[in-house]
Amino acid sequence: MIITIDGPAAAGKGTLAQKLADKYNLAYFDTGMVYRAVGIDLIANGIAPDNVAAAEKSAKNMTFTKMLALAQNPDFRSSTGGQAASKVAAMPKVRAYLLKMQQDFAENPIAKDGSRLTGVVYDGRDTGTTVCPQAELKLFVTASPEVRAMRRHKEYLQKGLPSVYEEVLAQTKERDLRDSSRTASPLKPADDAIIIDTSDMGIDEVFAEVCRIVDEKL
Ligand code: DC
């Protein structure tokens, strides 16, 4: 079974996707990682993330193993990594180079311990529209920018990272705009996606609701 979960940053996709993968014994692919890997690859080499030629070269040479190594960089999950990822993700050739790597995963889904599984939960922006349009279940998980920015802000503080809510909100809106206004595979729900607004829902409530939908499908 292939499930795609798309939506804007900090809507709760990652937590939901991991919980679903655990419950239904599916592999999990956080597709934002491929773009973060290219962004971090550039930053680590002192190159600005809006350098199109360098980003295309990095994307062309990106592999799963390289991506996992770059994920060890302390900035990989930071807002610096997120902004860089969002910039390289707007470049059509970068997206084209990184597409196959994401699609191949559905052919050979691997669990964290290396065992082979029979399905995948994808988490991203265009996994239901472009990466895996054949998915059995497509979800589009969203929440208001204010709620998402507050979640991110609390996450940073919990990790001991400095954070100012107003700045996180401005970055959230900036990233939403870039992700949804780009010409190549913009952030938008697939026509057959189920839309879930988590603004007033806790993760347990969202998970229970989605499990009901999955069980119905199964
Ligand atoms: O989910 P994330 O915050 O790790 O994603 C980082 C950036 O990568 C996001 O701003 C847009 C881009 N992205 C994308 O364009 N397509 C995807 N399927 C996943 C992420």
Side-chain angles (χ1 to χ4, degrees), residues 6 9 13 30-33 35-36 77 81-82 85-86 89 95 102 123-127 131 152 175 179 182 185:
D6 292 306
K13 306 181 303 283
D30 166 9
T31 60
M33 286 182 75
Y35 300 99
R36 283 179 186 261
R77 290 277 163 208
S86 172
R95 299 197 74 84
Q102 298 171 73
D123 150 10
R125 303 289 187 287
D126 66 339
T127 64
V131 177
R152 264 291 136 87
R175 195 127 81 90
D179 290 349
R182 67 179 177 227
S185 212

Short mmCIF file of all heavy atoms in Angstrom, two decimals, residues 6 9 13 30-33 35-36 77 81-82 85-86 89 95 102 123-127 131 152 175 179 182 185, ligand 1:
data_model
loop_
_atom_site.label_atom_id
_atom_site.label_comp_id
_atom_site.label_asym_id
_atom_site.label_seq_id
_atom_site.Cartn_x
_atom_site.Cartn_y
_atom_site.Cartn_z
N ASP A 6 0.84 15.05 1.86
CA ASP A 6 1.43 16.32 1.46
C ASP A 6 0.83 17.45 2.28
O ASP A 6 -0.23 17.31 2.89
CB ASP A 6 1.16 16.57 -0.04
CG ASP A 6 1.93 15.57 -0.90
OD1 ASP A 6 3.15 15.49 -0.73
OD2 ASP A 6 1.30 14.88 -1.73
N ALA A 9 4.78 23.24 5.49
CA ALA A 9 5.71 22.97 6.60
C ALA A 9 4.99 23.04 7.95
O ALA A 9 4.11 23.88 8.15
CB ALA A 9 6.84 24.00 6.57
N LYS A 13 2.67 16.56 9.29
CA LYS A 13 2.78 15.42 8.35
C LYS A 13 3.77 14.37 8.83
O LYS A 13 3.50 13.18 8.77
CB LYS A 13 3.26 15.89 6.96
CG LYS A 13 2.47 16.98 6.33
CD LYS A 13 3.01 17.33 4.96
CE LYS A 13 4.47 17.75 4.94
NZ LYS A 13 4.77 19.10 5.39
N ASP A 30 10.57 10.58 4.06
CA ASP A 30 10.42 12.02 4.25
C ASP A 30 11.10 12.69 3.05
O ASP A 30 12.32 12.87 3.04
CB ASP A 30 11.09 12.40 5.58
CG ASP A 30 11.30 13.88 5.74
OD1 ASP A 30 10.79 14.66 4.92
OD2 ASP A 30 11.99 14.27 6.71
N THR A 31 10.32 13.03 2.02
CA THR A 31 10.92 13.50 0.76
C THR A 31 11.56 14.88 0.86
O THR A 31 12.36 15.25 0.00
CB THR A 31 9.89 13.48 -0.39
OG1 THR A 31 8.81 14.36 -0.05
CG2 THR A 31 9.37 12.09 -0.66
N GLY A 32 11.22 15.64 1.92
CA GLY A 32 11.89 16.93 2.12
C GLY A 32 13.40 16.74 2.28
O GLY A 32 14.20 17.64 1.99
N MET A 33 13.78 15.52 2.70
CA MET A 33 15.21 15.24 2.92
C MET A 33 16.03 15.38 1.64
O MET A 33 17.19 15.76 1.68
CB MET A 33 15.40 13.82 3.48
CG MET A 33 15.01 13.70 4.94
SD MET A 33 15.31 12.03 5.55
CE MET A 33 17.08 12.00 5.72
N TYR A 35 15.66 17.47 -0.79
CA TYR A 35 15.91 18.89 -1.06
C TYR A 35 16.80 19.50 0.01
O TYR A 35 17.65 20.34 -0.27
CB TYR A 35 14.58 19.65 -1.19
CG TYR A 35 13.74 19.08 -2.31
CD1 TYR A 35 12.71 18.18 -2.06
CD2 TYR A 35 14.04 19.39 -3.64
CE1 TYR A 35 11.97 17.62 -3.09
CE2 TYR A 35 13.31 18.82 -4.68
CZ TYR A 35 12.27 17.94 -4.40
OH TYR A 35 11.56 17.38 -5.42
N ARG A 36 16.60 19.06 1.26
CA ARG A 36 17.48 19.54 2.34
C ARG A 36 18.91 19.10 2.05
O ARG A 36 19.87 19.84 2.30
CB ARG A 36 17.02 18.99 3.70
CG ARG A 36 15.80 19.73 4.24
CD ARG A 36 15.31 19.20 5.57
NE ARG A 36 14.07 19.86 5.94
CZ ARG A 36 13.95 20.88 6.78
NH1 ARG A 36 15.01 21.35 7.40
NH2 ARG A 36 12.78 21.43 7.02
N ARG A 77 18.21 20.01 9.82
CA ARG A 77 16.81 20.18 10.25
C ARG A 77 16.49 21.60 10.69
O ARG A 77 15.35 21.88 11.10
CB ARG A 77 16.52 19.24 11.43
CG ARG A 77 16.47 17.79 11.05
CD ARG A 77 15.12 17.42 10.48
NE ARG A 77 15.16 16.18 9.75
CZ ARG A 77 14.34 15.87 8.75
NH1 ARG A 77 13.43 16.70 8.35
NH2 ARG A 77 14.42 14.73 8.13
N GLY A 81 18.43 25.10 6.95
CA GLY A 81 18.30 23.95 6.05
C GLY A 81 16.96 23.98 5.31
O GLY A 81 16.89 23.68 4.11
N GLY A 82 15.90 24.36 6.02
CA GLY A 82 14.56 24.42 5.43
C GLY A 82 14.46 25.48 4.34
O GLY A 82 13.89 25.24 3.27
N ALA A 85 16.47 24.37 1.34
CA ALA A 85 15.74 23.31 0.64
C ALA A 85 14.63 23.91 -0.22
O ALA A 85 14.44 23.53 -1.38
CB ALA A 85 15.15 22.34 1.65
N SER A 86 13.92 24.86 0.36
CA SER A 86 12.80 25.47 -0.36
C SER A 86 13.29 26.21 -1.61
O SER A 86 12.61 26.23 -2.64
CB SER A 86 12.09 26.41 0.62
OG SER A 86 11.14 27.17 -0.01
N ALA A 89 14.36 23.59 -4.20
CA ALA A 89 13.18 22.84 -4.63
C ALA A 89 12.37 23.59 -5.68
O ALA A 89 11.52 23.01 -6.35
CB ALA A 89 12.29 22.52 -3.43
N ARG A 95 14.44 19.35 -9.30
CA ARG A 95 13.30 18.46 -9.01
C ARG A 95 13.34 17.23 -9.93
O ARG A 95 13.11 16.11 -9.49
CB ARG A 95 11.96 19.19 -9.19
CG ARG A 95 11.77 20.37 -8.29
CD ARG A 95 10.31 20.78 -8.23
NE ARG A 95 9.53 19.86 -7.42
CZ ARG A 95 9.43 19.91 -6.10
NH1 ARG A 95 10.05 20.83 -5.41
NH2 ARG A 95 8.71 19.01 -5.45
N GLN A 102 13.15 9.28 -5.46
CA GLN A 102 11.96 9.19 -4.61
C GLN A 102 11.02 8.10 -5.12
O GLN A 102 10.45 7.34 -4.34
CB GLN A 102 11.22 10.53 -4.59
CG GLN A 102 12.04 11.67 -4.01
CD GLN A 102 11.34 13.01 -4.23
OE1 GLN A 102 10.34 13.30 -3.58
NE2 GLN A 102 11.84 13.83 -5.13
N ASP A 123 5.96 11.48 2.63
CA ASP A 123 5.62 12.74 3.27
C ASP A 123 6.33 13.84 2.48
O ASP A 123 7.52 13.72 2.20
CB ASP A 123 6.07 12.61 4.74
CG ASP A 123 6.50 13.89 5.44
OD1 ASP A 123 6.32 14.98 4.90
OD2 ASP A 123 7.03 13.77 6.56
N GLY A 124 5.60 14.86 2.03
CA GLY A 124 6.24 15.91 1.24
C GLY A 124 5.30 17.01 0.80
O GLY A 124 4.40 17.42 1.55
N ARG A 125 5.53 17.50 -0.42
CA ARG A 125 4.70 18.58 -0.96
C ARG A 125 3.97 18.14 -2.23
O ARG A 125 2.90 18.64 -2.54
CB ARG A 125 5.56 19.81 -1.33
CG ARG A 125 6.39 20.40 -0.21
CD ARG A 125 5.52 21.09 0.82
NE ARG A 125 6.33 21.80 1.81
CZ ARG A 125 7.03 21.22 2.77
NH1 ARG A 125 7.01 19.89 2.88
NH2 ARG A 125 7.72 21.93 3.63
N ASP A 126 4.61 17.21 -2.97
CA ASP A 126 4.06 16.82 -4.28
C ASP A 126 4.04 15.31 -4.43
O ASP A 126 4.11 14.80 -5.53
CB ASP A 126 4.89 17.44 -5.41
CG ASP A 126 6.32 16.88 -5.45
OD1 ASP A 126 6.79 16.35 -4.43
OD2 ASP A 126 6.94 16.96 -6.52
N THR A 127 3.98 14.58 -3.32
CA THR A 127 4.11 13.12 -3.44
C THR A 127 2.83 12.49 -4.02
O THR A 127 2.90 11.50 -4.73
CB THR A 127 4.52 12.45 -2.10
OG1 THR A 127 3.48 12.65 -1.15
CG2 THR A 127 5.81 13.02 -1.57
N VAL A 131 5.18 12.50 -7.38
CA VAL A 131 6.07 11.37 -7.05
C VAL A 131 5.32 10.05 -7.20
O VAL A 131 5.81 9.11 -7.84
CB VAL A 131 6.65 11.50 -5.62
CG1 VAL A 131 7.50 10.29 -5.26
CG2 VAL A 131 7.46 12.78 -5.48
N ARG A 152 6.28 25.07 15.37
CA ARG A 152 7.71 25.08 15.05
C ARG A 152 8.50 25.83 16.14
O ARG A 152 9.53 25.37 16.60
CB ARG A 152 7.98 25.79 13.71
CG ARG A 152 8.11 24.92 12.52
CD ARG A 152 9.36 24.07 12.52
NE ARG A 152 9.06 22.70 12.10
CZ ARG A 152 9.03 22.26 10.86
NH1 ARG A 152 9.30 23.07 9.88
NH2 ARG A 152 8.73 21.01 10.61
N ARG A 175 8.01 30.61 3.16
CA ARG A 175 8.21 29.26 2.62
C ARG A 175 6.93 28.76 1.93
O ARG A 175 6.98 28.18 0.85
CB ARG A 175 8.64 28.31 3.74
CG ARG A 175 9.20 27.01 3.26
CD ARG A 175 10.55 26.73 3.86
NE ARG A 175 10.48 26.17 5.20
CZ ARG A 175 10.43 24.86 5.44
NH1 ARG A 175 10.38 23.99 4.46
NH2 ARG A 175 10.43 24.42 6.69
N ASP A 179 6.86 27.65 -1.89
CA ASP A 179 6.49 26.26 -2.21
C ASP A 179 5.24 26.19 -3.09
O ASP A 179 5.12 25.31 -3.93
CB ASP A 179 6.24 25.45 -0.93
CG ASP A 179 7.54 25.20 -0.15
OD1 ASP A 179 8.62 25.46 -0.69
OD2 ASP A 179 7.44 24.74 1.01
N ARG A 182 5.80 28.18 -6.97
CA ARG A 182 6.78 27.76 -7.98
C ARG A 182 6.05 27.07 -9.15
O ARG A 182 4.96 26.51 -8.97
CB ARG A 182 7.82 26.83 -7.36
CG ARG A 182 7.24 25.52 -6.94
CD ARG A 182 8.26 24.57 -6.33
NE ARG A 182 7.59 23.37 -5.91
CZ ARG A 182 7.75 22.78 -4.74
NH1 ARG A 182 8.58 23.28 -3.85
NH2 ARG A 182 7.08 21.69 -4.44
N SER A 185 5.84 21.58 -10.14
CA SER A 185 5.25 20.76 -9.10
C SER A 185 4.96 21.54 -7.80
O SER A 185 5.48 21.22 -6.75
CB SER A 185 6.23 19.61 -8.82
OG SER A 185 5.56 18.47 -8.44
O1 DC B 1 9.21 19.03 4.61
P1 DC B 1 10.48 19.85 4.73
O2 DC B 1 10.34 21.08 5.61
O3 DC B 1 11.67 19.04 5.12
O4 DC B 1 10.78 20.37 3.23
C1 DC B 1 11.84 21.25 2.94
C2 DC B 1 11.55 21.93 1.59
O5 DC B 1 11.66 20.96 0.55
C3 DC B 1 10.18 22.55 1.43
O6 DC B 1 10.17 23.92 1.76
C4 DC B 1 9.86 22.36 -0.02
C5 DC B 1 10.70 21.22 -0.45
N1 DC B 1 9.94 19.99 -0.73
C6 DC B 1 9.37 19.88 -1.97
O7 DC B 1 9.44 20.83 -2.75
N2 DC B 1 8.75 18.73 -2.34
C7 DC B 1 8.65 17.70 -1.48
N3 DC B 1 8.02 16.58 -1.86
C8 DC B 1 9.19 17.82 -0.17
C9 DC B 1 9.83 19.00 0.19
#
